[in-house]
Amino acid sequence: MQEEYMGYYANFDEEQRLVCQNITRIEFDTTINQLEAFTQSANKLTELGAATGRYSIYYAQKGLEVTAVELVPELVSQLEENAAEQNVELTIHEANATDVNFIPDSSQDIVLILGPLYHIQNEGERQAVIKEAHRILKPNGIVAVAYISRFFVAGLLAKMSHALVTPQVLGELRETGLVTTKDVDPFFRTGYFATPDEVESLVQSECLDVEKHVATDGFGRYIGAEINALSEQEYQAWLQYHLMVCSEPSLLGSSNHGLVIARKHG
């Protein structure tokens, strides 16, 4: 399964995903907005699953001391190129988010986990990522954990193909968070799709107190064509509205992505 995952991201244009259209821009803009209150006073930040560095480079440009950890070699190479092109200094490691023993205990103000949980299908490995985040965080440090909602994915499967609307496919997704049918592309077969309550419980199990839980995309993906057609001025108006309502609990399960922000006990 990991080989299929690595192959998928080796050939996926992750660099453009967060900027290529309004419905993906809102994911980045919302994440930055929700973290702003915590990053302003931070010095050291680690991103686990940094991909091509969209967040890591952004925060390095803001003056933070950034460590970026990425598993896929092709993405690590692109991250290194992007950092060099933008003349940004950051520390880069090719490693699995489940084991970052090269980062000292209690050394980081903020840990970002904005992708790894999308594809860790083993519960013990998901817990290992959170344990590592807890270990490297300073007391009162902040972790931000992103996930993909299994409730949103059910609707996405129905939109993709009527052949996926079966008791077997939908039942497996509902009960396990997995989509193992060969009728979907590797992103889904290698994915893990969580519930909002599950992710809160995951971080709380490691003595992390939830401070925020937001619907990163809100219901924007259901009106994706309309959101993408907005002018820049209209997009900014929609973004401001979205930021005012994204913490509404009733939106969490229907949002493509969710974001849990939690604090380590002091």
Side-chain angles (χ1 to χ4, degrees):
M1 189 63 68
Q2 182 168 320
E3 183 178 344
E4 187 175 26
Y5 157 77
M6 299 276 279
Y8 175 82
Y9 277 100
N11 296 289
F12 180 73
D13 191 0
E14 179 67 15
E15 175 64 13
Q16 290 299 311
R17 186 183 71 82
L18 291 172
V19 297
C20 65
Q21 49 189 341
N22 286 341
I23 59 170
T24 53
R25 283 177 65 192
I26 204 165
E27 177 188 345
F28 179 82
D29 291 343
T30 301
T31 302
I32 294 298
N33 174 271
Q34 294 300 307
L35 285 169
E36 186 174 5
F38 307 106
T39 56
Q40 287 178 343
S41 59
N43 294 311
K44 293 187 175 183
L45 178 149
T46 285
E47 182 176 12
L48 303 179
T52 59
R54 186 81 170 92
Y55 289 99
S56 287
I57 290 173
Y58 173 87
Y59 284 116
Q61 290 172 329
K62 294 293 183 181
L64 276 72
E65 183 179 332
V66 174
T67 299
V69 180
E70 174 53 48
L71 178 62
V72 180
E74 290 82 1
L75 296 183
V76 172
S77 296
Q78 185 66 58
L79 169 55
E80 292 171 339
E81 291 177 15
N82 290 344
E85 287 176 2
Q86 299 181 54
N87 196 28
V88 170
E89 290 188 9
L90 67 166
T91 302
I92 300 172
H93 295 275
E94 183 180 320
N96 195 312
T98 60
D99 182 7
V100 289
N101 60 77
F102 44 84
I103 302 178
D105 295 359
S106 303
S107 62
Q108 304 299 303
D109 297 295
I110 296 178
V111 176
L112 305 182
I113 307 171
L114 303 179
L117 293 195
Y118 300 172
H119 292 282
I120 299 180
Q121 297 182 335
N122 179 276
E123 182 179 1
E125 292 181 356
R126 293 194 295 274
Q127 292 172 335
V129 175
I130 304 302
K131 284 180 182 292
E132 282 291 77
H134 182 274
R135 178 184 66 79
I136 67 178
L137 275 174
K138 297 176 182 178
N140 292 311
I142 292 293
V143 61
V145 182
Y147 65 93
I148 296 176
S149 167
R150 72 180 60 171
F151 306 121
F152 172 85
V153 170
L156 188 58
L157 294 177
K159 188 174 181 179
M160 288 164 53
S161 171
H162 290 180
L164 297 172
V165 184
T166 69
Q168 292 77 21
V169 172
L170 296 177
E172 178 186 49
L173 173 62
R174 179 178 60 82
E175 294 171 11
T176 70
L178 304 178
V179 181
T180 60
T181 175
K182 296 188 181 302
D183 296 328
V184 294
D185 71 27
F187 177 86
F188 292 94
R189 285 197 304 274
T190 66
Y192 179 73
F193 309 111
T195 69
D197 287 346
E198 173 192 359
V199 180
E200 286 201 12
S201 295
L202 178 63
V203 299
Q204 289 169 338
S205 71
E206 294 304 322
C207 299
L208 295 158
D209 297 326
V210 175
E211 299 236 335
K212 285 187 175 185
H213 192 172
V214 302
T216 317
D217 318 271
F219 55 84
R221 289 297 180 112
Y222 297 98
I223 52 172
E226 290 76 13
I227 298 296
N228 283 335
L230 296 177
S231 67
E232 182 60 25
Q233 182 177 1
E234 292 164 342
Y235 169 75
Q236 291 300 327
W238 178 261
L239 175 63
Q240 292 309 308
Y241 167 78
H242 164 71
L243 293 174
M244 289 187 286
V245 302
C246 65
S247 59
E248 166 57 45
S250 65
L251 293 175
L252 292 176
S254 61
S255 180
N256 184 353
H257 301 87
L259 182 69
V260 173
I261 299 175
R263 186 182 298 276
K264 181 177 179 178
H265 292 173

